[in-house]
Amino acid sequence: MQQVLNALVLWSIYVLFALGLSLAWGTLNVLNLAHGATFMFGAFSVVLLSEHADIPFGVLVPLAMVFGGLISVLLDLLVFRPIRARVGNSREAELLMLIGSVGAASIMVTIAQQATDDSPFGIPEGSALRSAVYRFGGFSISTIQIVIIVLGVALAALLGWWIRSSRYGRALRAVAFDGETAQLMGVNPGRLSTATMFAAGALAGLASVLLISHVGALTPTSGDNLLLKAFAMIILGGIGSIAGVLAGAAVVAVGETLVLTFTSGTWVDAASFAIIIAVILIRPQGIFVAQKADRV
């Protein structure tokens, strides 16, 4: 039971992070490789604030989401939109946006490395969540683990509802399917792009502050490995499918938990990617392919 709980906590973190990456990729066709750096910078920003003021943990969480969201919106306004406006060929624009996101990620990582001397950073004790441990029979669960699981499940469900049932969600699906026709029907792609990028960055910021509270510290490059795994989860589940992201995250989280339980921890990353490769070889189109038509 304890291992199931550990896998669920890991799954929740992966889902929050990967859903943000999938949201921008599936609706705006932007593979934002600065998403990992945005994740790191969300936690880094609130750590800097909490070092200068006693900010409660309940305030740090929305602050991290706001920071993450604003970073993503700035990337969209300063990098992605200008590239789309100046480059007529969509494939060339996608490649240039990919390169631009790599450059933006390098800037954020370098800033954090200079500020921390490339050392791990964590939330000061005065702002950290007071986490109690509850024991039930053969397993235990902490307050932060409960928060992570509840937020992971709730936000995954909320995002799924938002995409499928809300007015903005329907507009996003229309833009993903045929942007020009959607614009002729009155959809404002600029406003949708801003809202989507903010939501994607906010999910990354939330994941970062939850993870740093759970493990104690992050490093300036903590987002890099997570980005690679999230990319694999999206491919594994089926590009643009929210259900696919949930399934891909579950495969990786369960695999890593089992490997960590029965082998040395050094094999965790290798084993998780071995599982991903095996599934892709068996089903290269992804676990969920029905959603590929509209990429949301």
Side-chain angles (χ1 to χ4, degrees), residues 51-78:
E51 287 177 349
H52 295 89
D54 240 359
I55 304 175
F57 181 79
V59 177
L60 289 185
V61 172
L63 279 177
M65 296 178 71
V66 170
F67 282 131
L70 290 177
I71 290 169
S72 285
V73 170
L74 284 175
L75 279 173
D76 188 40
L77 294 176
L78 300 178

Side-chain angles (χ1 to χ4, degrees), residues 8-220:
L8 188 56
V9 171
L10 192 59
W11 173 86
S12 299
I13 293 291
Y14 284 164
V15 161
L16 290 172
F17 182 87
L19 279 177
L21 182 65
S22 179
L23 187 62
W25 192 9
T27 58
L28 305 177
N29 219 18
V30 174
L31 179 53
N32 181 14
L33 295 187
H35 194 68
T38 302
F39 162 87
M40 177 277 300
F41 217 79
F44 174 69
S45 299
V46 296
V47 166
L48 283 183
L49 283 178
S50 60
E51 287 177 349
H52 295 89
D54 240 359
I55 304 175
F57 181 79
V59 177
L60 289 185
V61 172
L63 279 177
M65 296 178 71
V66 170
F67 282 131
L70 290 177
I71 290 169
S72 285
V73 170
L74 284 175
L75 279 173
D76 188 40
L77 294 176
L78 300 178
V79 180
F80 301 142
R81 288 196 201 182
I83 289 175
R84 281 196 296 262
R86 295 175 185 177
V87 180
N89 185 292
S90 60
R91 290 189 178 274
E92 186 179 347
E94 288 173 20
L95 178 60
L96 290 175
M97 286 189 289
L98 195 70
I99 296 170
S101 67
V102 172
S106 299
I107 293 172
M108 286 187 279
V109 170
T110 301
I111 291 173
Q113 286 176 329
Q114 290 294 319
T116 63
D117 293 325
D118 204 13
S119 301
F121 55 87
I123 298 174
E125 188 176 345
S127 297
L129 176 67
R130 300 291 185 269
S131 186
V133 177
Y134 308 95
R135 290 179 171 79
F136 304 93
F139 74 97
S140 60
I141 185 170
S142 65
T143 306
I144 186 62
Q145 287 177 319
I146 295 173
V147 172
I148 290 172
I149 293 170
V150 169
L151 287 178
V153 173
L155 287 178
L158 181 61
L159 184 61
W161 171 86
W162 185 63
I163 290 292
R164 290 297 165 195
S165 303
S166 72
R167 180 182 176 186
Y168 274 101
R170 290 192 293 269
L172 272 176
R173 283 186 288 150
V175 169
F177 187 75
D178 190 336
E180 292 184 7
T181 302
Q183 192 168 358
L184 290 173
M185 295 177 67
V187 174
N188 187 328
R191 186 182 301 170
L192 279 175
S193 177
T194 299
T196 302
M197 292 301 293
F198 185 87
L203 286 171
L206 174 61
S208 70
V209 76
L210 292 178
L211 184 60
I212 199 172
S213 300
H214 181 47
V215 301
L218 296 178
T219 67

Side-chain angles (χ1 to χ4, degrees), residues 2-18 144-145 148-149 152 207 210-211 214-215 225-226 229 233 245-246 248-261 268-269 272:
Q2 186 65 55
Q3 301 312 321
V4 173
L5 176 64
N6 293 339
L8 188 56
V9 171
L10 192 59
W11 173 86
S12 299
I13 293 291
Y14 284 164
V15 161
L16 290 172
F17 182 87
I144 186 62
Q145 287 177 319
I148 290 172
I149 293 170
L210 292 178
L211 184 60
H214 181 47
V215 301
N225 193 37
L226 203 54
K229 289 182 182 181
M233 291 171 205
V245 172
L246 305 185
V251 171
V252 176
V254 171
E256 288 189 358
T257 302
L258 291 175
V259 171
L260 188 60
T261 302
V268 168
D269 290 341
S272 63

